Amino acid sequence: DLAASENKTSVGFGVQLSGLAAVTPAFTLYYDATYGHGIADYLQDETGLGLDAVPSFEKAGSLALMESMGVTGGFTVNITPRLALNAMYSHVTNWLPGAARLSTDVAPGEEGPTVSPDTYRYGDYVAANLMYTFNKILAAGIEYDYGHMKMFSGDSRHTNRLQAQLSVTF
């Protein structure tokens, strides 16, 4: 609480459900769902963005906990004993707490702390890769990644990436 020059702790909470299901010996599903208040730093690409708590408009100098949710699903198919296909999708969403306001929502002459419209609102990500194991020492892979994010202002960005890897394990 900057206004009162006091250090106060806001207690957040979160719940998570994750697991896998071996549908067949060659096909496995993976899943994860996380939801809570004040937990954004634990979700996908929100680490380091400072979205666990945002400035509170109701009480100057204090913070309000951000409500966040992340879901991920994916699968692995062992095409052969040496060749595996992996694919995944993830989504993360943030909701502003009732005590927070975007700077674009504040009337002229109205005062109070606000959140930037460029704050991360939600994102979707897809990845797929093929991994080939030559022997116990050498493996190679290729992966495609796509990401899309949207801010509270409505602005959005996306990216594509193709990458390859050669792994030597000894």
Side-chain angles (χ1 to χ4, degrees):
D1 187 337
L2 295 175
S5 297
E6 296 176 348
N7 191 10
K8 295 183 180 177
T9 301
S10 296
V11 178
F13 74 91
V15 293
Q16 181 179 31
L17 173 67
S18 63
L20 60 92
V23 179
T24 70
F27 183 71
T28 304
L29 293 171
Y30 303 92
Y31 56 89
D32 177 82
T34 306
Y35 170 82
H37 291 256
I39 63 162
D41 215 35
Y42 297 100
L43 298 175
Q44 284 97 297
D45 60 282
E46 296 190 338
T47 300
L49 296 181
L51 296 178
D52 290 343
V54 294
S56 172
F57 195 82
E58 292 175 351
K59 185 174 181 217
S62 65
L63 297 172
L65 297 176
M66 179 80 81
E67 180 181 1
S68 303
M69 178 193 68
V71 293
T72 303
F75 66 87
T76 296
V77 177
N78 293 314
I79 299 167
T80 71
R82 293 181 182 261
L83 181 64
L85 167 68
N86 303 287
M88 62 78 58
Y89 166 79
S90 71
H91 174 84
V92 63
T93 297
N94 294 310
W95 294 276
L96 285 176
R101 301 204 29 210
L102 293 174
S103 58
T104 53
D105 295 336
V106 176
E110 199 173 10
E111 291 187 24
T114 58
V115 177
S116 168
D118 291 330
T119 300
Y120 187 106
R121 169 107 195 259
Y122 71 84
D124 295 290
Y125 301 90
V126 177
N129 63 47
L130 276 172
M131 301 293 289
Y132 187 81
T133 303
F134 295 97
N135 54 43
K136 288 190 240 182
I137 298 172
L138 187 63
I142 188 164
E143 179 173 271
Y144 170 73
D145 298 316
Y146 172 80
H148 173 263
M149 65 183 282
K150 195 165 202 171
M151 281 59 83
F152 280 97
S153 66
D155 291 342
S156 64
R157 298 183 185 113
H158 73 275
T159 187
N160 293 281
R161 178 173 61 204
L162 184 62
Q163 57 193 9
Q165 172 184 313
L166 183 63
S167 172
V168 178
T169 306
F170 52 92

